[in-house]
Amino acid sequence: MSEFNLTIARREIAKRRTFGIISHPDAGKTTLTEKLLLFGGAIQMAGSVKARKSGRYATSDWMSIERDRGISVTSSVMQFDYQDHQINLLDTPGHQDFSEDTYRVLTAVDSAVMVIDCAKGVETQTRKLMEVCRMRNTPIMTFINKLDREGKNPFDLLAEIEDILQIECVPLTWPVGIGSDFRGIYHLERRELTLFNGDRHALPTEPVALSGPDDPKLDELLGEQAQALRDDLELLSAGNPYSHEDYLIGGQTPVFFGSAVNNFGVRELLEGFIRLAPAPMPRPTETRMVEPDEPRFSGFVFKVQANMDPAHRDRIAFLRICSGKFEKGMKLHHHRVGKEVVIANPIMFLAQSRTSVEEAWPGDIIGIRNHGTIRIGDTFTDGKEALTFTGIPNFAPEHFRKVLLKTPLKSKQLRKGLEQLVDEGAAQLFIPLVGSDLILGAVGELQFEVIVSRLREEYGVDASYMPVPYETARWIQCADRNMLRAFEEDNRGQLTHDAKGYLTLLANSEWQLKCIKERWPDIDYLATRECQTRDGEE
Ligand code: G4P
């Protein structure tokens, strides 16, 4: 292994931007991703991400047998260079692939870009993903998309975002008109106007430099709409200015406007992102903060994905590097199991322009092949300091099913299969205190189908589901043992243990949960539970 050089490390870290996109389905996440890759030079021709998505669209990753799983793994992390920066874009699956994974990917990013459809405003999935970002005060940049279509008034959109998402909006670009009147965007800081030509197959024209809103050139370029822009800018000047500190703690979001499908406004977003979004930051562990420029390697696993051949139970663990330098062939300490492992053949997600795929730095993601030994939340380090990264939770499921076994003699295999599949983190298993049911909980409904199909393919177990009346779950904690016992007695019918043995309440509705909380106010009801287990716990 080569020497650790602090200057090189700091340079590499400063270059990195690791982020995810949060949006509601159809707001334009895939289109924006594609355009970011296009501007980053990682793809020559727009269309490849879209093509992948439509393959996934009709059916899930697991349903289609001939699906090329290699693609799905590499599209989990997309890396590209832009202006001497290295950008890691982590996929946050939406649509049918929406699952707990989508939430958990957000624990591995340093910032997020929120895409909003200008006609729809703030939608449910965006709201949920935003709540996850809130847990770590993740900095968020906003892209308001589809300005070429009729939509809400931009001021109303900003008010809606501020109101629903409780984050202050600071526009850095501003649209001139909307829908059929959309003429372009004005860059507030640079005082530049970029005119919209509506050509999906061309890049936008170069921006026109202006002396400010009073520049007479605006009238030449925009005619009557120049005054409307001036009025808007006047109103905006009364708003709060951009504060980098507030952005970094998730209190303020810089807002960009555009039309991703027309490549419009994307360059401004990307430039703003490079300039403002944070490089890899220190990460909390149970014992201390880990700084990215520490010489010793450390990282955690935030996602586990079953790989190509279901028969081999081959899995890929996605590890986010937090400190040090990774080199191929490195020997790492796998905490929890307490073993040294050689990472001989990692999957590296590197930009095409780079030739070396031998090393990776904080902010980068590496994929480690394994046979089920690596779990979500696991920490890897070189050196034996007992580190456990925190903030990689399980999230309370929103959909539930009772698992029914069609072939009664296979109950052992069913239990084993379920336990192993939920280990991958896409669904959770709950075992009620009363009775012998097995209940699956998931954030996205498709996971139920995926699990039944995999139980059949990989474990030879035929299972089906029955609906159960639960709508939400909370992990239960209480330091007072007597109170906890009394709570258990009172709510026995609703209580379960999850796969790791933690007490979990399943409630039929938010309203029922509220009633229980009112009756038992001193109990802690947690919507997330940390995944990781410490060395020697298992
Ligand atoms: P998602 O990943 O967030 O689900 O959204 P996606 O990018 O797939 O976009 C959803 C639809 O919105 C697509 O249309 C896409 O072309 C369209 N779209 C994205 N950005 C813009 C925009 O700036 N303006 C307009 N007018 N449309 C936009 P589709 O009909 O589902 O697909 P396609 O037939 O256009 O490929």
Side-chain angles (χ1 to χ4, degrees), residues 8 47 67 128 150 157-158 168 174 180 189 262 285 290 312 396 404 424 436 474 485 517 521 528:
I8 295 177
R67 222 191 103 76
K128 287 183 189 171
E150 300 307 323
L157 276 168
L158 299 189
E168 193 178 279
W174 191 255
S180 50
E189 211 176 31
N262 289 295
T285 69
V290 168
H312 288 103
L404 296 178
E424 287 176 23
S436 54
R474 289 292 180 275
R485 219 167 288 135
K517 280 181 178 172
T528 59

Side-chain angles (χ1 to χ4, degrees), residues 23-33 50 53 57 94-95 115 117 143 145-149 200 258-264:
S23 67
H24 192 82
D26 288 331
K29 186 191 75 156
T30 314
T31 312
L32 180 65
T33 301
K50 187 83 195 175
K53 193 183 98 170
Y57 209 72
H95 291 276
V115 182
D117 179 331
F143 184 73
N145 192 27
K146 306 197 187 181
L147 266 288
D148 59 309
R149 278 202 194 153
R200 289 186 178 200
S259 168
V261 82
N262 289 295
N263 313 310
F264 200 77

Side-chain angles (χ1 to χ4, degrees), residues 149-163:
R149 278 202 194 153
E150 300 307 323
K152 301 185 183 184
N153 172 301
F155 285 105
D156 292 343
L157 276 168
L158 299 189
E160 185 177 325
I161 296 171
E162 294 199 339
D163 192 38

Side-chain angles (χ1 to χ4, degrees), residues 61-101:
D61 283 8
W62 285 103
M63 305 294 117
S64 94
I65 293 144
E66 67 283 273
R67 222 191 103 76
D68 180 356
R69 300 248 173 85
I71 288 181
S72 115
V73 168
T74 46
S75 68
S76 298
V77 181
M78 286 164 263
Q79 194 180 62
F80 59 97
D81 291 342
Y82 190 73
Q83 293 182 347
D84 204 29
H85 283 74
Q86 196 166 299
I87 302 170
N88 297 313
L89 170 50
L90 309 197
D91 188 24
T92 45
H95 291 276
Q96 291 94 327
D97 287 344
F98 185 64
S99 72
E100 223 185 316
D101 265 357

